[in-house]
Structures are given as C-alpha cells and as structure tokens.
Amino acid sequence: MPGETQEATVGYMGEFHLQNATTLYELNQVKSFGVPSGGTREQTETTHLKSPGWRREYVSTFYEDSDFEVVMNTRALSDTDTLCEAALKAGDVRPFKAVLPENGVPVAQITGTAKCIGYDRGEVSIDGVMEATATFRVVTIADIEAYEA
C-alpha cells in the first residue's frame, strides 16, 4: 500500500479491562498482555487418490480456542486481585476490552468475552516485585476497532 507506515511503538498506556459485577473495570498495574485473537481453525485432511495436482486437500472444522495472559504487579486482596480470583472461581464468561496504544496514545481496542482459566499470584522473593498472571480463554471476539474512551 503506498504511503503505509509500519513503525515500531511501545505498549505505554495500554489497558486491559474485565467485567466485574456491574461494569468493565480496568485492571491496575498491568505490565503486559497478549493481544486477544479469535484463534485458529483446525483442518482435517480429505486427500484422495485423485486429488488434483498431487496436492493434499483439507476441510476446515472446529475453531481452536485462543488463550492469552495478563501480567500485572499485584498486592493480595486489592480490587484487581479480588476480581481476578473471583473470575477464576466463578468460571463464567465475562466481557473484556484490550486497549492498544501507539506512542503512548490509545488508538485501537479489541472487545469480546473470555473466561478466566488461571490465576497465579507468582512468588514472594527477597527483592522482587510480586507479580500475578491471569490467563483468559477467548469465547467471542469483535474485530479490532478505533479506541473509544
């Protein structure tokens, strides 16, 4: 595409929000998160003795779930810690919003629903920052779109 730019940027000002009881809540002290995606589609081979051009043939079958992690600084019993633990224990499907920045400015977002399938509070060490990792499995996902505050 003429005029297209693809310059590197950093994740500064990125955000991840998860539904609590009433609204989307921005998780605090997020250090990184995987960009949610719709996953991949499994393929089953249907090759036969007369497959054209000596090429294997396939048919698309089920979608394979996509998982992503959110890593954050943590403090036990904080609002973010409590929300992540509750989402794991409930095992329910919750709305989320991932905000993608460009040079410190939110420019795009991905919304959808996900289930918390893991929450690890990490480790306590003599001089390390306590980090937690929440793992989510995408259930539904919308196309990437322009950011809305």
Side-chain angles (χ1 to χ4, degrees), residues 16 27 30-34 68-72 119 132-136:
F16 187 81
L27 300 185
V30 171
K31 296 180 77 169
S32 66
F33 61 86
F68 65 95
E69 293 182 339
V70 178
V71 179
M72 60 207 106
Y119 185 57
T133 302
T135 304
F136 296 94

Side-chain angles (χ1 to χ4, degrees), residues 27-137:
L27 300 185
N28 285 302
Q29 298 273 322
V30 171
K31 296 180 77 169
S32 66
F33 61 86
V35 177
S37 71
T40 58
R41 193 137 183 219
E42 294 179 1
Q43 302 288 305
T44 298
E45 187 173 339
T46 60
T47 305
H48 52 88
L49 294 175
K50 293 187 178 182
S51 290
W54 290 71
R55 304 289 303 184
R56 295 189 184 278
E57 296 181 86
Y58 300 88
V59 63
S60 296
T61 60
F62 293 97
Y63 286 95
E64 186 163 339
D65 292 332
S66 171
D67 297 344
F68 65 95
E69 293 182 339
V70 178
V71 179
M72 60 207 106
N73 293 328
T74 190
R75 183 174 45 84
L77 302 177
S78 68
D79 291 345
T80 295
D81 177 67
T82 303
L83 174 58
C84 290
E85 182 69 20
L88 175 64
K89 285 182 178 177
D92 56 359
V93 175
R94 297 174 181 227
F96 73 84
K97 177 168 86 169
V99 177
L100 309 178
E102 183 178 315
N103 296 321
V105 177
V107 296
Q109 68 184 30
I110 299 171
T111 58
T113 60
K115 181 186 295 190
C116 184
I117 60 169
Y119 185 57
D120 180 358
R121 287 188 174 97
E123 68 179 26
V124 177
S125 66
I126 198 165
D127 61 354
V129 173
M130 292 176 58
E131 293 180 352
T133 302
T135 304
F136 296 94
R137 177 159 291 152

